[in-house]
Amino acid sequence: MRALGFRVATLTGLIVRELLRQNVLYLILIPAVLTLLTLPLFTALTFEEQIKFTRDFCYGTMSIFGVFLAIIATAQSISNDLEQKTIFTILAKPIDRWEYLFSKGLGMSWILFLALLILGVLSAGLFALQEKGLIEAAVGNATHPLSAQELQGLRDQIWNPALLMALLILYFKLILMVGFTILFSTVASSSLFTIFTSLMIYVIGHLQSTAREWMMSSEGISVGMKWGVGFMTVILPDMSFYEGADRILMGASPGLSSLIPSFGYTFFNLFWILGLSTWLFESRDFR
Amino acid sequence: MNLSPPLEIQNLQARYSLSWNRKSVVALDCFNLELKAGEIFALLGPNGSGKTTLFKLILGFLKPKQGSIFIHGERAGTRGARSYLGYLPENPYFPKYLTGREILETYGGLSGLSPHQLRDRIEIILELTQMSSFAEKALHTYSKGMIQRVSLGQALIHDPQLLLFDEPMTGLDPQGVDGMREAMTKIRSLGKTILFTSHLLEQVETLADRVAILYQGKKLVEGAIETLLKEQKSATIQVTGLSSEQLAGVKAALTDFGATSVEMTPSSGSLEKLFRSYTK
Amino acid sequence: MKRVLLILMIVWGGGGKLFYEGMNLSPENKTSLSWGNRFEQQLICGVLGGWRPVVADLAWLRVTTSWESRQWSRLHENIRMAVRMQPESLLFWDIGAWHLAWNASLGERNNRLESQMEKRHERELYWIEQGRSLLEEGVRYHPNHFKIWLQLGLLHQERRHDFGAAYDCFLRASHLEGAPGYVARLAGYALEKQGDRARALEYWNDLLERSSNPADRTLIEKRLLKLEKDSMISPLKPLP
């Protein structure tokens, strides 16, 4: 058991080191940081609109670059091992193939945590700048000065603690995408195929819940169609589990229990994904 | 102490399909082999004869169509079997962004060694492979010889009993070849078994205890080098001071005596002859 | 053994996935939308990912600049774009309808470049109807949010002078969570403006009975007294 821990820790460290020393992480992270830094260029009319825009912009940047990072870095990491044949020296060691896949996922979840932390801290800095601007504007506005209560209301909107929950939900979503990317990597022969398929799954996953409801509630759908949609919904992820983050962005402040659906859904999905990925990876020959 | 043979292969058959027409090609057929503990065994064969396929089968990268492979009594492909194996690939397949020491740390960790065990082990390996002077440099700055030493180091890091060396001397300069030969001899003296492939027949002759020749997936011959060489119904006649016409006369005379083939090329070693005689 | 373990993992994890999905069926605020609308929304979510709200916000920035430059068609286009990208945002429906039914329509009414008053009036009505249509679509996305019903009620009352429709909207808004007390009173005023004093009286009496807030009760009582004074009918007895 101890040896297993050392093996997994080593492989996890290897992927983290790989991403930190190679360009993939920076190629994705630097544009994300630059995008965030363009935020002050956008100005809106009302305080409420400004707050919404800043929040959406920061979250949107984290979300989109997070998805790219989760998919591209995972696909690259595994396909690099296959293409550069590092996999031969790794799997020649007494390491199980599930340990290899699991460690890749674990390493990616560290990288994503790090990336979200960096972008989150940067976003907090932008929020602080915005707060400062709001106070200055409120103090400087002689005709309609904001009351202390109104100002506090705006501050509460900027520093809504539920935004951390939105980040956590985003993190779960990204980890799910890492899982699916690993699954495709186990059968793919090129990283391009893996990246493309994972992105498709991400897009189609957003339609899953509606497709499922349509299949279950509509009449007059052919049996073949029902089976087809049914099969798709069994395989595909349902991204609507992560819509809680959108509601938080719209100003909602749900309790911690609202994290349960997204966490539980991610957890169960990762379980079957790891099982299936291991099955496929074990059956794979390395020539 | 595990008393099972380091490697036991019985009736092994491996096939692979060509992706463009799904035709199945036999890579290895009816292959049997048993290694003795502490010996150096060389696998000879032209390109495509099935040497690398055999290594991949032993390591569990490929699954055999039929037959069995056991490493110290453990079925090939299992984690237990791989814990007895050290693999030195023909081309170095390592993350290039790591330093030599980091490679050893990484591959030691992958073998389940604790940081404490690793510290001691790395020092031993650095000395054995003589890589202390460049261990802190990144891999992409290494020469072929340095990479080969790192490769040897990672293969030995978890103190395996059976070592698989795929073309360990290919691409090395004479000094590198000597260093590798020295290291292999030292490893054997530690009681380890080595199975290796090589094209450098002179080196094989001086290093290996036993050899097998593979050709088109089949083992043609196997045995101790000395025994095999004695079995050859051939002799080397060294001739000096004859013109080409006179040499042609000698060749004709030998043929008249009943020789089936006469080679007039300068001799480059009898193992090479043996090899050529089986694979031509 | 390993295979069995893997099958168990797949079955257990997959079962958990399907169980969760079964529980996630039919979020109530989506059920009033057509399948087409829902697929469209989910597709936008998928394709734009996290950028969807940002694209909506950028469209909204253009709404503001269009308003400043009085380009009403461009304003309308960008409002539509914003709500399509992020229909969850109440702000877009609410302020968007205000821009159309108030700013754009009044802008057309006061458009000195148009000499024909009839045409100005026609354009004014056009933008009011666009505002109404926007809010009617908005309530399909937010059927349980009082703000959007309130805004629709105000539009019917202030811009269309359809007090019956305004009453319906205010009444609906007043029953929704978070609606302040004045929303219920707006329904009463709408009935009064419609001229239906009997119903108004009945409504105010009913509201008085339901109200527990002393401040609200005082206001309702004052209203009842005023009605009584205006019509000389006892507020305690509803009109036949």
Side-chain angles (χ1 to χ4, degrees), chain C residues 22 25 27 34 71 92 128 143 194:
Chain C
L25 274 176
S34 70
Q71 291 174 279
F92 294 156
I128 292 171
Q194 200 185 9

Side-chain angles (χ1 to χ4, degrees), chain C residues 1 8 11 21 49 53 69 74 85 93-94 99 119 172 181 186 190 207 233 239:
Chain C
M1 184 60 194
L8 279 177
V11 170
E21 286 174 359
S69 57
R74 191 165 165 255
M85 287 292 129
W93 299 106
D94 185 4
H99 273 310
K119 276 200 173 167
R172 179 132 191 200
L186 281 175
L207 192 61
I233 298 169
L239 275 174

Side-chain angles (χ1 to χ4, degrees), chain B residues 36-48:
Chain B
K36 296 178 192 118
E39 73 170 332
I40 297 183
F41 193 101
L43 269 180
L44 307 177
N47 291 335

Side-chain angles (χ1 to χ4, degrees), chain A residues 172-189:
Chain A
F172 295 149
K173 184 179 183 177
L174 298 181
I175 286 179
L176 182 74
M177 285 321 297
V178 167
F180 271 96
T181 311
I182 288 176
L183 175 63
F184 298 128
S185 297
T186 57
V187 288
S189 52

Side-chain angles (χ1 to χ4, degrees), chain A residues 217-247:
Chain A
S217 61
S218 299
E219 285 170 11
I221 300 173
S222 69
V223 180
M225 187 73 150
K226 272 206 169 192
W227 273 98
V229 177
F231 176 74
M232 292 288 278
T233 57
V234 167
I235 300 291
L236 294 175
D238 179 356
M239 290 300 180
S240 70
F241 275 94
Y242 307 98
E243 280 177 2
D246 295 342
R247 286 191 283 275

